[in-house]
């Protein structure tokens, strides 16, 4: 409700981002420019008083531009650490695929270990910590493909589409009536949580009950991607782990203390679409990851007892 004061529409996207925050995962956002990705992250940070940082990834971005570096202080003839923008609760990595692999590896340590190393010394990142990375699905010139190790660190991948006609009209009115320029306005979003509340929600989410039959169902879906026709590379063990983590957060969002097969199905596309690689034959036939996963969900029987 608070985010809706700044972001018009995109309800499914907002729900998935919130669920990922509760699940303790990172998010890869894919969509054309102007669909409200930066505004969403800023509004989310404001709801719990979190620090927000935006990093514009470019081909000349250095690892130290992300994590920070040591600066020599001539007054006392010593080095002091100048922390980079990664030291925030929510970090927006804009157009992440425009940075070279060396810079992406600096972000990888932060995403996996929740810490960064500067001049051989480890520094713990704030908690909660979450990376929301964006990439443009259209412009590929001057970009670097994200390595599989990096993709696996994202809990979910969200595809952001254009708003509906009514949403676009509402967006037009909100951004042009008594407004000058393109400033992102989140002043109407109120803080009603704290960072400690988010950590408590994560603890509750981790304790949502998972029946053995539902766990087996999630495992079968992931294992099916490894020998499914039309998939050249299936999801690894992190796929099943992510499926359960995200499904638990979805169950909690529905005020349930147990995971259902429907939660697993709702989680399957965002959790697995970036963990599988359609074969060239599938791409020629117009089958993308979502269509292939939808076929798997139809074939793998769900437990109903």
């Amino acid at each position: 409700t608070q985010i809706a004061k700044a972001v018009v529409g995109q309800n499914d996207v907002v729900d998935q981002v919130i669920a990922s925050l509760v699940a303790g995962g990172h998010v890869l956002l894919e969509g054309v420019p102007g669909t409200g990705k930066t505004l969403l992250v800023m509004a989310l940070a404001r709801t719990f008083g979190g620090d927000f940082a935006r990093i514009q990834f470019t081909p000349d971005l250095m690892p130290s531009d992300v994590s920070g570096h040591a600066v020599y202080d001539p007054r006392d003839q010593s080095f002091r650490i100048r922390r980079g923008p990664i030291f925030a609760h929510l970090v927006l990595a804009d157009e992440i695929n425009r940075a070279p692999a060396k810079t992406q590896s600096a972000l990888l340590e932060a995403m996996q270990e929740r810490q960064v190393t500067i001049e051989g010394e480890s520094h713990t990142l704030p908690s909660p910590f979450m990376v929301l990375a964006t990439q443009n699905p259209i412009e590929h010139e001057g970009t670097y493909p994200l390595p599989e190790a990096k993709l696996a660190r994202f809990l979910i991948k969200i595809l952001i589409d254009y708003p509906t006609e009514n949403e676009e009209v509402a967006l037009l009115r909100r951004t042009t009536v008594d407004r000058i320029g393109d400033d992102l306005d989140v002043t109407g979003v109120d803080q009603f949580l704290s960072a400690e509340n988010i950590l408590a929600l994560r603890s509750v989410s981790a304790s949502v009950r998972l029946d053995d039959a539902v766990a087996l169902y999630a495992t079968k879906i992931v294992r099916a991607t490894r020998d499914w026709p039309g998939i050249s590379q299936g999801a690894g063990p992190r796929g099943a782990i992510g499926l359960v983590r995200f499904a638990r957060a979805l169950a909690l969002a529905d005020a349930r203390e147990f995971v259902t097969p429907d939660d697993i199905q709702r989680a399957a596309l965002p959790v697995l679409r970036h963990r599988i690689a359609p074969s060239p034959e599938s791409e020629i036939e117009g089958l993308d990851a979502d269509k292939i996963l939808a076929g798997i969900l139809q074939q793998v029987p769900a437990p109903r007892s």
Side-chain angles (χ1 to χ4, degrees), residues 59-78:
D60 59 350
L61 189 73
M62 299 297 292
S64 59
D65 296 328
V66 175
S67 59
H69 53 275
V71 179
Y72 180 73
D73 190 345
R75 289 175 297 181
D76 54 9
Q77 297 184 348
S78 64

Side-chain angles (χ1 to χ4, degrees), residues 148 224-235 275-283 287 289 292 296:
E148 296 299 326
T225 66
R226 298 170 191 168
D227 54 9
W228 196 264
I231 297 180
S232 60
Q233 181 175 340
R275 302 177 192 269
I276 68 171
S279 65
E281 294 79 12
S282 296
E283 294 178 344
L287 295 176
I292 295 173
I296 292 176

Side-chain angles (χ1 to χ4, degrees), residues 147-272:
E148 296 299 326
K150 171 64 70 61
L151 286 173
R153 265 48 175 202
F154 289 103
L155 178 62
I156 62 172
K157 177 181 179 180
I158 301 176
L159 304 181
I160 302 182
D161 204 353
Y162 290 109
T164 65
E165 182 177 357
N166 291 336
E167 291 172 349
E168 200 156 358
V169 170
L171 175 64
L172 179 67
R173 291 186 177 277
R174 180 178 295 187
T175 56
T176 59
V177 175
D178 298 326
R179 293 275 301 278
I180 299 175
D182 297 331
D183 293 341
L184 300 179
D185 184 16
V186 294
T187 55
V189 179
D190 298 325
Q191 177 184 348
F192 67 100
L193 290 170
S194 65
E196 290 73 20
N197 293 144
I198 300 296
L199 297 177
L201 282 171
R202 288 183 174 183
S203 178
V204 174
S205 176
S207 65
V208 172
R209 185 163 58 87
L210 179 71
D211 190 83
D212 289 343
V214 179
L216 180 61
Y217 177 54
T219 303
K220 286 184 176 180
I221 292 174
V222 173
R223 292 182 64 85
T225 66
R226 298 170 191 168
D227 54 9
W228 196 264
I231 297 180
S232 60
Q233 181 175 340
R238 282 197 182 95
I241 295 171
L243 203 53
V244 168
R245 285 174 57 196
F246 194 60
R248 277 181 161 139
L250 293 176
L252 182 63
D254 287 344
R256 278 185 285 104
E257 58 184 19
F258 57 90
V259 178
T260 67
D262 291 336
D263 294 324
I264 298 294
Q265 293 177 1
R266 288 166 57 198
L269 264 61
V271 171
L272 298 179

